[in-house]
Amino acid sequence: MGYRVAVVGATGAVGREMLKTLAERAFPVDEIAALASARSVGQEVSFGDKKVLKVQNLEHFDFTGWDIALFSPGASVSAVHAPRAAKAGCIVIDNTSHFRMEPDVPLVVPEVNPDALKKARRGIIANPNCSTIQMVVALKPLHDLFSIRRVVVSTYQAVAGAGKEGMDELFAQSRASFVGDPLKAEQFTKQIAFNCIPHIDRFMDDGATKEEWKMAVETRKILDPDISVFATCVRVPVFIGHAEAVTVEFEEPVDLERARDVLREAPGVVLHDQREDGGYVTQIDCVGEDATYVSRLRVDPTVPNGLAFWCVADNLRKGAALNAVQIAEAMIALDLIGRKAA
């Protein structure tokens, strides 16, 4: 017996990756539905190598009798339809930002805080921001060992974080640069081809962007409310894969070899740190992979008990689709989802 699973936002980059991930991990599916807006109804999306799904209209879909819904349709759509699905008895795992900071909605990375799933009283679990996910996966074993006081992070975020439209704009601008056509900036505030833009999401009153705010508040909710986080988030001309340069100040003295040991053993982390040419992982290396890769691990002598590292992950997989599917797997393992499928 398997589960009845709906994927909401199935025609988007993350929605397609959710379907791909469910199939690749042989998630126990008895029936699957691909849902999107009215303009996408009738389109076809793949589920595994052999199955093709016809997209159905989210607006008219009845979630009664469905076990799990993976949502990635945009925050305003989730705000309306995620509670509707949960009210019908369907467990919702939402990839948008809408529910993340609501106190009665768990914000979960399964390698970090799986016990929070037991508090999903509303039937909704939030998937964290992509840049937060990979950082806390790497920070968790270090926090358990040395106790984190402060994190300073600079991100190098791929255009896939802005969806298919973001990837299309990078491609179009790159092509236009070579053939001499005019460049149009529509999805980003400046030209993204051959450029870096220190601006993701809207600006807030203190000068931070909302993406930077998300990394701080989400890390505290997931990992520890006493951790200080200062982020600078940058969009870079890479299609898929986020990178982060992370500097951490701990409460306790740092031992580099102990840090290496716990990272080697940490779930979801691959330590690839060789002090030689190419002895580190870059964004292009992590595309299609499930792990968070940690490289360039070293002591930071400029702060007490300091450690620095570089981490990369596929933002469509661990940063979104894979984490959502892992949440569903963890809920099954914890016996928090009952089957409704016959």
Side-chain angles (χ1 to χ4, degrees):
M1 289 178 62
Y3 297 86
R4 302 182 78 198
V5 180
V7 175
V8 181
T11 57
V14 173
R16 290 175 187 272
E17 196 68 31
M18 285 173 167
L19 290 165
K20 180 181 176 183
T21 303
L22 287 165
E24 286 179 352
R25 295 174 71 85
F27 190 88
V29 171
D30 266 3
E31 186 177 354
I32 190 156
L35 310 179
S37 65
R39 67 178 179 273
S40 298
V41 170
Q43 289 186 28
E44 294 183 340
V45 292
S46 297
F47 177 61
D49 294 331
K50 298 179 180 178
K51 191 165 186 176
V52 175
L53 307 175
K54 289 274 190 182
V55 174
Q56 302 178 54
N57 192 338
L58 169 63
E59 196 74 34
H60 303 143
F61 189 79
D62 184 0
F63 287 95
T64 303
W66 288 79
D67 300 300
I68 303 164
L70 306 180
F71 269 68
S72 191
S76 61
V77 177
S78 283
V80 174
H81 294 284
R84 183 170 71 84
K87 187 176 180 180
C90 181
I91 293 293
V92 172
I93 301 167
D94 182 50
N95 189 59
T96 77
S97 62
H98 184 76
F99 297 100
R100 288 177 187 157
M101 296 313 298
E102 295 195 8
D104 56 351
V105 174
L107 184 66
V108 176
V109 178
E111 298 94 332
V112 179
N113 63 334
D115 287 346
L117 293 170
K118 298 173 184 177
K119 301 175 183 177
R121 298 178 186 89
R122 289 172 58 183
I124 299 173
I125 300 97
N127 219 26
N129 189 42
C130 47
S131 51
T132 304
I133 290 174
Q134 70 186 68
M135 186 173 75
V136 297
V137 168
L139 289 178
K140 167 65 173 172
L142 298 172
H143 182 54
D144 289 346
L145 188 60
F146 303 124
S147 188
I148 295 170
R149 174 182 295 172
R150 180 173 182 253
V151 177
V152 178
V153 56
S154 295
T155 72
Y156 309 84
Q157 295 180 226
V159 295
K164 180 179 180 296
E165 296 81 5
M167 291 189 282
D168 289 345
E169 184 155 307
L170 174 57
F171 179 84
Q173 288 184 359
S174 299
R175 181 185 180 280
S177 295
F178 286 114
V179 301
D181 288 346
L183 273 66
K184 297 179 181 177
E186 296 175 344
Q187 300 301 317
F188 303 106
T189 55
K190 288 182 180 284
Q191 174 186 324
I192 186 60
F194 313 104
N195 197 22
C196 298
I197 304 172
H199 176 193
I200 302 175
D201 213 321
R202 63 180 174 83
F203 278 101
M204 304 181 73
D205 290 343
D206 64 355
T209 63
K210 192 171 182 183
E211 186 83 353
E212 293 157 356
W213 173 83
K214 288 176 197 172
M215 290 196 74
V217 296
E218 290 179 16
T219 298
R220 286 194 286 271
K221 183 172 179 178
I222 297 164
L223 195 56
D224 189 323
D226 294 327
I227 293 175
S228 297
V229 179
F230 187 83
T232 300
C233 295
V234 183
R235 189 73 72 190
V236 298
V238 170
F239 283 102
I240 297 172
H242 288 354
E244 297 172 351
V246 186
T247 300
V248 190
E249 183 181 348
F250 295 93
E251 297 285 353
E252 299 174 18
V254 170
D255 181 285
L256 188 59
E257 288 310 309
R258 290 178 68 200
R260 289 184 187 280
D261 289 343
V262 296
L263 287 168
R264 285 192 190 99
E265 299 300 320
V269 175
V270 172
L271 179 66
H272 185 90
D273 184 30
Q274 299 167 358
R275 295 179 177 181
E276 60 186 36
D277 293 353
Y280 39 81
V281 181
T282 63
Q283 284 139 295
I284 203 166
D285 301 319
C286 75
V287 176
E289 301 293 330
D290 291 347
T292 295
Y293 292 87
V294 175
S295 307
R296 301 294 322 281
L297 186 68
R298 59 209 189 275
V299 168
D300 175 7
T302 67
V303 295
N305 308 326
L307 192 70
F309 62 87
W310 168 262
C311 71
V312 298
D314 184 327
N315 59 297
L316 295 181
R317 288 185 71 85
K318 185 54 188 169
L322 173 64
N323 198 73
V325 173
Q326 288 175 317
I327 288 172
E329 291 170 344
M331 294 195 76
I332 292 169
L334 291 167
D335 199 25
L336 298 174
I337 300 178
R339 292 181 177 89
K340 301 184 182 71

